């Protein structure tokens, strides 16, 4: 059994499918002169195979999405058919007598470097084409399976060193029944995506890809962050039982769907959901949320080669707004950067991407992209109860600049006679410590706050949210975090605005208990977590929750707060996940 970080709840039992690490080292094998002709044949066969694959993908994309998308692959074919490149590989093969994989990767490297240096936007963009095609060809030369998550034929548990949020978005929910990774933390976007897909996941296992082989039998316990590899029959049977019990318990919680989210003494808490994709709306409704507290729009921009058009965005926002109506939907403007990148927007590589050019900083620097999104949101606002919020606001200047652009867009639409909801609420995410410190100033120029604890914790405690090595320091219960949250809620209320939270912290039942007591107005959690959080809210008196929060704020360490809250939860709702964690760990041996 291996211990990692519990990233998405549930238990899965199945066969491992190990994904190759992206940059597999290419072997440098020496050849005899007599081997050269057969190396040339291998190269030609790989060229033919790769070309056939590209044509097949092109056909599929053209019919399923549209001709213009398929055209991207014409550029890929052109790279493959480049005579100069082919001749260079063959002549080097003859001269250097090394294996073709090595020669080809060297030529590829040279081409990429040359193209990256050219001061021409169009040619620079070809670098990613060369990369894509080069990788495909190398894969064929090395005889690797194509690691295409969307084309899996049977149910598997994906095992990977790392998965990007866009890999995860491509996973077939029916085929990928769980995943485990070497790196990552609970609030990395890959983990968040797993919760959206409602598949169990364990991340931060450090060396799992070195241990697990294709076809191994795995147990993934996403509730406790534990993975079993080829377990013996007694462990397997124990987990089969635990899986059944957990699924029964979850089903039972779903009965809360239509009951109000209010404390025992009638204090109503807005319980909304976080979504990544419009397709999640049915799940949101099935779990009984009262709206969408965070619609992360950047997933719209991933897994594609161009930007979504204004109309495409409008259609998606209109769909979400009308499906959720009369409940609200908070659309967060583009939050690219950090661990969410797209290749075609030419993001510079940065030493510290989480501290770099991301989110609102990127949008203010690219007003055309920002305005297009705001136009789509405003146009969709007449179809439901839409609100908008900006990510990564660090102070009042950025907020004013963003609001200024929003007003320009409103003005443009007005002058063209395009209708939009004049009273659409506008909020700021509070996820940077500086914003938390000056939120009394910010509160006067927005309609609401939404606390983004995933980032707020990362920045306040200086702990990279995706780095498993420092994950033990990532403590939502750290007294500094509790004080910040208390201050934000109080400043919001003093200024007469409501305060919500959309970071993952609010999804944890024992922390939800604390947040009820701190007076948080809106809880926005992943759809799977809604029933549990609702159960917590419905099990406590507001006055009792306040007392619990007061006591928690008097404790000195994150660990003490954590244990204190888990124990309180155990008293109030003994069957919930976090209340049972301590008991579970005592009864299991892990390494
Ligand atoms: C947050 O930072 O808490 C948040 C909700 O945003 P994201 O996880 O997308 O950065
Ligand atoms: Mg954030």
């Amino acid at each position: 059994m291996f211990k990692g970080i519990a990233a998405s709840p549930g238990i899965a039992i199945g066969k491992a499918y190990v994904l190759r690490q992206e940059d597999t080292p290419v072997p440098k094998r020496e050849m005899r002169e007599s081997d050269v002709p057969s190396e040339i044949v291998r190269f030609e066969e790989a060229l033919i195979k790769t070309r056939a694959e590209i044509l097949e993908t092109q056909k599929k994309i053209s019919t399923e999405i549209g001709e213009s998308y398929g055209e991207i692959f014409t550029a890929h074919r052109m790279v493959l058919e480049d005579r100069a490149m082919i001749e260079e590989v063959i002549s080097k093969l003859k001269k250097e007598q090394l294996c073709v994989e090595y020669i080809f990767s060297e030529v590829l490297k040279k081409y990429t470097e040359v193209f990256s240096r050219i001061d021409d936007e169009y040619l620079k963009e070809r670098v990613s084409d060369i990369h894509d095609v080069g990788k495909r060809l190398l894969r064929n030369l090395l005889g690797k399976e194509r690691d295409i998550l969307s084309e899996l034929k049977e149910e598997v548990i994906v095992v990977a060193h790392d998965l990007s949020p866009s890999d995860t978005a491509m996973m077939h929910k029916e085929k990928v029944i769980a995943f485990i990774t070497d790196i990552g933390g609970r609030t990395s976007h890959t983990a968040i995506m797993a919760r959206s897909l409602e598949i169990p996941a364990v991340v931060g296992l450090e060396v799992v890809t070195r241990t697990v082989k294709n076809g191994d039998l795995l147990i993934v316990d996403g509730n406790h962050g534990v993975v079993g590899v080829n377990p013996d029959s007694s462990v397997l049977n124990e987990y089969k039982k635990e899986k059944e019990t957990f699924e029964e318990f979850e089903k039972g919680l779903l009965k809360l769907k239509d009951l109000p989210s209010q404390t025992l003494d009638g204090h109503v808490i807005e319980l909304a959901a976080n979504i990544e994709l419009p397709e999640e709306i049915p799940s949101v409704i099935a779990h009984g949320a009262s709206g969408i507290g965070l619609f992360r729009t950047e997933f719209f921009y991933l897994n594609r080669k161009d930007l979504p058009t204004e109309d495409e965005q409008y259609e998606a926002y209109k769909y979400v707004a009308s499906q959720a109506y009369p409940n609200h939907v908070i659309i967060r403007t583009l939050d690219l950067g950090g661990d969410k990148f797209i290749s075609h927007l030419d993001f510079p590589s940065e030493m510290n991407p989480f501290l770099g050019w991301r989110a609102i900083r990127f949008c203010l620097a690219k007003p055309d992209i920002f305005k297009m999104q705001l136009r789509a949101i405003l146009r969709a606002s007449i179809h439901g109860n839409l609100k908008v919020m900006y990510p990564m606001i660090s102070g009042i200047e950025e907020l004013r600049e963003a609001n200024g652009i929003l007003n320009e867009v409103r003005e443009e639409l007005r002058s063209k006679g395009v209708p939009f909801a004049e009273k659409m609420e506008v909020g700021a995410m509070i996820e940077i410590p500086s914003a938390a410190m000056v939120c009394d100033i910010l509160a006067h120029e927005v309609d609401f706050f939404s606390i983004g604890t995933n980032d707020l914790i990362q920045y306040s405690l200086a702990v990279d949210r995706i780095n498993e090595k420092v994950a033990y320091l990532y403590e939502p219960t750290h007294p500094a975090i509790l004080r910040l949250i208390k201050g934000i809620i109080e400043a919001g209320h003093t200024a007469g605005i409501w305060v919500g939270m959309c970071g993952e912290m609010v999804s944890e039942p024992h922390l939800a208990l604390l947040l009820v007591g701190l007076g948080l107005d809106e809880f926005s959690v992943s759809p799977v977590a809604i029933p549990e959080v609702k159960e917590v809210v419905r099990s406590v008196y507001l006055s009792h929750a306040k007392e619990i929060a007061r006591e928690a704020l008097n404790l000195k360490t994150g660990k003490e707060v954590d244990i204190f809250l888990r124990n309180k939860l155990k008293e109030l709702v003994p069957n919930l996940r976090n209340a049972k964690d301590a008991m579970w760990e005592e009864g299991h041996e892990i390494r």
Side-chain angles (χ1 to χ4, degrees):
M1 308 291 275
F2 292 87
K3 179 87 175 110
I5 297 164
S8 177
I11 293 169
I13 299 171
K15 291 260 170 66
Y17 177 80
V18 184
L19 280 189
R20 187 180 59 85
Q21 214 172 314
E22 262 307 290
D23 297 311
T24 313
V26 177
K28 184 179 180 179
R29 277 180 288 118
E30 291 190 10
M31 298 279 133
R32 286 181 306 235
E33 197 178 346
S34 56
D35 291 331
V36 171
S38 60
E39 284 300 278
I40 297 179
V41 170
R42 279 184 63 220
F43 181 50
E44 284 170 348
E45 279 173 357
L47 282 171
I48 294 168
K49 186 160 183 229
T50 313
R51 188 168 185 278
E53 277 174 15
I54 294 175
L55 269 173
E56 189 194 319
T57 315
Q58 182 165 27
K59 239 197 324 214
K60 194 163 163 234
I61 300 282
S62 301
T63 41
E64 283 176 14
I65 311 181
E67 286 289 333
S68 56
Y69 292 90
E71 273 312 299
I72 299 152
F73 296 95
T74 307
H76 285 197
R77 283 199 346 250
M78 277 161 65
V79 174
L80 212 57
E81 288 159 7
D82 186 281
R83 280 313 316 162
M85 185 271 290
I86 296 174
E87 274 159 22
E88 188 169 344
V89 171
I90 293 177
S91 94
K92 268 171 140 329
L93 258 176
K94 288 180 183 158
K95 218 180 319 156
E96 296 177 20
Q97 293 179 18
L98 292 165
C99 67
V100 62
E101 290 86 342
Y102 184 79
I103 301 273
F104 175 70
S105 67
E106 288 298 294
V107 172
L108 194 69
K109 221 184 280 168
K110 191 187 97 184
Y111 268 66
T112 334
E113 275 165 15
V114 170
F115 274 78
S116 317
R117 279 201 302 269
I118 298 174
D119 199 14
D120 175 304
E121 278 307 309
Y122 177 79
L123 287 177
K124 258 202 191 131
E125 277 185 20
R126 300 284 71 77
V127 172
S128 69
D129 293 335
I130 296 174
H131 250 294
D132 271 17
V133 177
K135 269 201 207 131
R136 238 181 224 268
L137 193 111
L138 268 179
R139 213 147 40 196
N140 284 330
L141 273 174
L142 292 164
K144 299 267 180 201
E145 282 266 301
R146 284 166 61 190
D147 304 329
I148 297 184
L149 292 171
S150 56
E151 290 182 7
L152 289 168
K153 298 280 185 289
E154 53 172 7
E155 278 193 355
V156 293
I157 293 175
V158 169
V159 180
H161 176 67
D162 188 21
L163 289 165
S164 70
S166 49
D167 286 333
T168 327
M170 270 171 60
M171 280 185 183
H172 246 290
K173 194 167 157 184
E174 306 90 71
K175 299 293 182 223
V176 181
I177 56 168
F179 73 75
I180 59 178
T181 60
D182 290 338
I183 72 162
R186 222 191 111 65
T187 61
S188 59
H189 284 97
T190 301
I192 290 172
M193 205 62 201
R195 290 194 282 281
S196 287
L197 292 167
E198 295 183 39
I199 55 175
V202 177
V203 300
L205 285 151
E206 297 195 353
V207 291
V208 74
T209 42
R210 271 190 254 150
T211 315
V212 176
K213 290 185 294 303
N214 259 334
D216 277 351
L217 182 67
L218 299 182
I219 296 171
V220 178
D221 177 352
N223 298 339
H224 302 100
V226 171
V227 171
V229 184
N230 294 324
D232 61 34
S233 58
S234 70
V235 174
L236 193 61
N237 286 335
E238 183 198 335
Y239 267 96
K240 281 184 181 159
K241 260 191 244 130
E242 193 150 331
K243 179 168 153 50
E244 249 171 58
T245 318
F246 179 73
E247 284 167 2
E248 275 305 306
F249 174 66
E250 291 280 286
K251 245 191 252 154
L253 279 183
L254 279 179
K255 297 203 185 96
L256 296 176
K257 178 177 166 292
D258 298 317
L259 297 176
S261 151
Q262 61 181 36
T263 58
L264 289 171
D265 44 349
H267 173 71
V268 176
I269 301 264
E270 194 75 53
L271 184 50
N274 292 349
I275 61 167
E276 275 61 60
L277 304 164
E279 291 81 46
E280 287 175 73
I281 289 280
S283 159
V284 169
I285 295 169
H287 286 95
S290 64
I292 311 272
L294 167 64
F295 178 12
R296 287 187 170 91
T297 54
E298 44 289 349
F299 287 91
F300 220 25
Y301 291 69
L302 301 173
N303 287 332
R304 56 190 295 161
K305 289 266 172 180
D306 58 357
L307 288 171
T309 63
E310 181 183 323
D311 278 345
E312 249 177 277
Q313 296 190 60
Y314 163 73
E315 289 298 337
Y317 303 152
K318 176 179 154 188
Y319 169 77
V320 175
S322 55
Q323 290 292 310
Y325 190 77
N327 293 318
H328 70 260
V329 175
I330 304 179
I331 300 187
R332 176 179 70 187
T333 59
L334 196 52
D335 185 17
L336 286 174
D339 62 345
K340 289 171 293 191
F341 289 105
I342 39 176
S343 51
H344 57 91
L345 271 184
D346 202 16
F347 268 92
S349 58
E350 297 175 319
M351 290 282 277
N352 288 307
F354 275 113
L355 300 182
W357 198 49
R358 60 172 295 206
I360 197 71
R361 304 164 182 185
F362 168 81
C363 283
L364 294 176
K366 298 261 185 194
D368 291 347
I369 294 177
F370 192 36
K371 278 184 163 180
M372 189 196 283
Q373 182 175 36
L374 293 174
R375 257 196 315 272
I377 296 172
L378 281 168
R379 282 172 54 202
S381 64
I382 54 166
H383 299 285
N385 180 5
L386 280 191
K387 304 178 199 290
V388 70
M389 68 181 176
Y390 312 120
M392 298 280 293
I393 291 290
S394 65
I396 193 77
E397 284 139 316
E398 263 171 349
L399 177 60
R400 285 185 180 154
E401 204 178 333
N403 273 339
I405 295 179
L406 179 66
N407 282 335
E408 277 174 38
V409 176
R410 283 185 175 126
E411 207 39 64
E412 281 166 28
L413 290 179
R414 242 180 244 122
S415 68
K416 288 190 189 134
V418 180
F420 62 90
E422 292 278 351
K423 291 208 163 69
M424 180 179 75
E425 284 189 19
V426 179
M429 282 190 74
I430 306 295
E431 52 182 344
I432 298 186
S434 59
M437 305 299 283
V438 298
C439 58
D440 55 325
I441 303 174
L442 301 175
H444 295 288
E445 302 192 24
V446 283
D447 300 301
F448 65 92
F449 285 153
S450 185
I451 310 175
T453 47
N454 302 342
D455 280 315
L456 186 63
I457 297 170
Q458 140 164 288
Y459 298 131
S460 306
L461 303 182
V463 181
D464 182 341
R465 63 193 263 191
I466 62 173
N467 185 342
E468 72 286 352
K469 294 269 185 317
V470 288
Y472 71 100
L473 289 170
Y474 192 97
E475 282 187 310
T477 48
H478 193 294
I481 302 299
L482 267 41
R483 290 180 193 189
L484 280 176
I485 293 172
K486 180 172 181 276
I488 300 165
I489 297 172
E490 283 173 0
H493 289 174
T494 305
I497 63 170
W498 62 267
V499 182
M501 181 180 287
C502 58
E504 294 301 315
M505 170 178 180
V506 72
S507 302
E508 295 291 327
H510 64 307
L511 304 179
L513 180 60
L514 166 84
L515 293 161
V516 172
L518 286 176
L520 190 72
D521 304 294
E522 184 231 32
F523 290 45
S524 193
V525 308
S526 48
V528 272
I530 288 168
E532 280 182 327
V533 174
K534 196 185 266 187
E535 176 78 349
V536 173
V537 171
R538 294 178 55 83
S539 305
V540 67
Y541 286 93
L542 180 62
S543 53
H544 188 189
K546 280 186 177 163
E547 197 185 296
I548 291 173
R550 246 191 320 271
E551 271 189 70
L553 271 149
N554 278 332
L555 298 173
K556 295 194 174 56
T557 70
K559 194 81 198 149
E560 280 167 29
V561 175
D562 194 71
I563 294 170
F564 169 74
L565 293 173
R566 281 176 203 266
N567 285 333
K568 288 287 168 198
L569 185 71
K570 216 186 298 179
E571 284 167 24
L572 290 164
V573 242
N575 284 329
L576 281 191
R577 200 163 31 99
N578 304 34
K580 286 201 302 187
D581 272 0
M583 294 186 271
W584 187 91
E585 264 160 28
E586 276 159 26
H588 285 74
E589 218 177 285
I590 41 179
R591 61 180 165 113

